Amino acid sequence: LTNVNPQIKTLKSHVEITEPNTSEININIPEYDATSDQLFVYLDGLLLSPVIDYTAAGSGSIAKIILTNAIQQTNDNYIDFIVFKIDL
């Protein structure tokens, strides 16, 4: 048995919603790897639930989320993305 000392790196992105009826939003974290990283999505500070509130598509610079229900108005709406990368 070898000792494993995992390192957790936190990556963040903040996106202001400027168009009504927005449903697709780029994650804007080029280091994001959908196969190994943990993604957390917040809409106006509220944590969204994967599958129920959104689906994620792609990795890296082309990664995006698709909201189940589009944002209808743009009254200072924003999305925060937080990615946890675990390096073993």
Side-chain angles (χ1 to χ4, degrees):
L1 183 68
T2 59
N3 290 334
V4 177
N5 189 13
Q7 301 292 318
I8 299 175
K9 185 191 301 186
T10 304
L11 305 169
K12 298 178 181 181
S13 173
H14 178 83
V15 178
E16 305 256 342
I17 307 302
T18 58
E19 298 291 324
N21 298 314
T22 298
S23 61
E24 292 190 14
I25 301 140
N26 291 333
I27 294 173
N28 293 328
I29 301 176
E31 302 93 336
Y32 172 62
D33 181 348
T35 63
S36 61
D37 298 340
Q38 294 295 312
L39 174 66
F40 297 89
V41 180
Y42 295 84
L43 171 60
D44 298 332
L46 298 174
L47 179 62
L48 299 183
S49 179
V51 180
I52 295 171
D53 297 319
Y54 72 92
T55 55
S59 285
S61 60
I62 63 167
K64 65 182 177 182
I65 63 163
I66 302 161
L67 295 170
T68 303
N69 297 305
I71 297 171
Q72 299 300 316
Q73 298 178 339
T74 58
N75 298 333
D76 300 323
N77 295 114
Y78 61 91
I79 298 275
D80 286 305
F81 297 102
I82 299 176
V83 169
F84 289 150
K85 290 188 81 61
I86 300 173
D87 296 322
L88 300 177

